[in-house]
Amino acid sequence: MAAYITPVVNSTAVFKDGLFDGKVLFCTGGGSGICKAMTEAVMRHGAHAAIVGRKLDRLTTAAQELSTATGKLCLAVQADIRRPAEIQAAVAKTIEKFGRIDLVICGAAGNFLAPISKLSENGFRTVIEIDTIGTYNTIKATLPYVRASKGSYIHVSATLHYRGTPYQVHVSAAKAAVDATSAVLAVEEGPHGVRSNVIAPGPIAGTEGMDRLGVREGNGAPSSLLSTMPAGREGDVKDIANAAVFLFSDAASFITGQVIVVDGGNEHLLKFGLPYPQAVLDPDSVTKMIRPRL
């Protein structure tokens, strides 16, 4: 008997077209993958957007694609979110272009597979700086404008820190801090009319994250995750985008300080992809199963 497979739908099939008319989205990491899909969905419902990242060529191409696909304006702004002055300048350019910021996605992230014994101090620090400090810098730079518009934040996290996930100490620490930061932001800024929530994606097919982190078979092909997917399929970027549209909408006006896991139920059947305890006793023996660090 075949298992039921949940469908993938576009947000426009569920939510009204002008949901975010007159609003402006500010998204870090919006040049590719999950964050680009989230930006596109919000734009399809009426918002203009600014996408922020370090690679201007990628951002410019993505901004053009997003504008063409949605008919809304998308501004590409180069900035390293680890540097407060650069993210502040990106916010200033957004305000100069659009005059406001209503919605913020803190999505820039970095990750790779490495056991603690082989993870350098610099590697650990870099992920903390991008994921955690970058999120804080983005909040600080955008908060006056989000307060003014009674807007909302979405932070992109992960499910790795819900249990001890080998080879992921750096991102587990970083994302746990992001979750905590969002909760404090929700409590402190709620009286000002600001909401803050977290989306924790599971494995999403076709993304750079899955390409980098997915465990490889002996022939180099990615391992299948379908056996741990109660929803019967791999995640799609639209799944995350749909969650973002909902959380930013007035339908979620009483939802703040929450972590929304979007993983097709994967967390409940999650297994460590590398052989355990072999992977921690002899890390060199599993190097061929891991994509080389970029």
Side-chain angles (χ1 to χ4, degrees):
M1 181 177 180
Y4 175 73
I5 299 175
T6 56
V8 180
V9 300
N10 293 318
S11 64
T12 50
V14 180
F15 300 95
K16 67 180 183 180
D17 292 342
L19 191 62
F20 302 125
D21 279 354
K23 295 189 176 183
V24 174
L25 168 69
F26 184 90
C27 178
T28 64
S32 64
I34 287 172
C35 291
K36 183 182 177 185
M38 295 167 77
T39 300
E40 180 176 344
V42 174
M43 291 176 68
R44 285 189 183 277
H45 292 279
H48 297 308
I51 55 174
V52 182
R54 287 182 294 167
K55 299 179 180 179
L56 185 58
D57 54 344
R58 173 188 282 187
L59 287 172
T60 300
T61 299
Q64 292 172 345
E65 292 172 349
L66 289 167
S67 293
T68 299
T70 65
K72 307 304 290 186
L73 299 177
C74 187
L75 177 67
V77 188
Q78 185 177 27
D80 186 337
I81 64 169
R82 295 173 294 182
R83 304 180 184 279
E86 292 190 20
I87 196 68
Q88 290 164 12
V91 168
K93 290 179 181 177
T94 303
I95 295 300
E96 180 182 3
K97 177 70 174 179
F98 299 118
R100 60 188 295 152
I101 295 174
D102 304 86
L103 312 170
V104 177
I105 295 173
C106 297
N111 197 6
F112 50 90
L113 292 171
I116 295 174
S117 61
K118 292 184 176 293
L119 176 64
S120 69
E121 291 84 354
N122 185 62
F124 184 88
R125 182 185 304 108
T126 297
V127 172
I128 294 291
E129 287 177 346
I130 295 172
D131 290 49
T132 306
I133 298 177
T135 294
Y136 176 79
N137 290 339
T138 302
I139 292 169
K140 286 285 287 185
T142 57
L143 187 55
Y145 305 102
V146 179
R147 266 191 186 183
S149 65
K150 311 300 182 189
S152 181
Y153 287 86
I154 290 176
H155 313 275
V156 181
S157 186
T159 60
L160 300 163
H161 54 287
Y162 300 167
R163 64 186 71 191
T165 303
Y167 284 55
Q168 292 286 265
V169 67
H170 42 313
V171 76
S172 293
K175 293 305 191 184
V178 168
D179 291 2
T181 299
S182 176
V184 174
L185 181 63
V187 172
E188 289 191 357
E189 293 300 319
H192 294 284
V194 175
R195 292 188 299 114
S196 177
N197 289 293
V198 170
I199 293 178
I204 304 300
T207 61
E208 185 175 349
M210 276 300 295
D211 190 30
R212 290 192 185 194
L213 302 177
V215 173
R216 307 280 165 165
E217 303 287 1
N219 60 4
S223 296
S224 174
L225 292 169
L226 291 181
S227 63
T228 61
M229 290 292 183
R233 62 172 173 83
E234 293 181 313
D236 188 282
V237 292
K238 293 178 182 177
D239 295 314
I240 312 303
N242 291 341
V245 171
F246 167 67
L247 286 175
F248 277 148
S249 77
D250 289 341
S253 62
F254 202 56
I255 300 175
T256 191
Q258 303 303 308
V259 177
I260 309 299
V261 176
V262 184
D263 74 342
N266 177 68
E267 172 61 23
H268 298 293
L269 294 175
L270 188 61
K271 298 178 181 178
F272 181 46
L274 296 172
Y276 183 87
Q278 177 187 345
V280 292
L281 292 174
D282 184 12
D284 291 339
S285 69
V286 298
T287 53
K288 291 183 179 180
M289 301 178 70
I290 301 171
R291 178 176 172 179
R293 181 176 172 185
L294 298 180

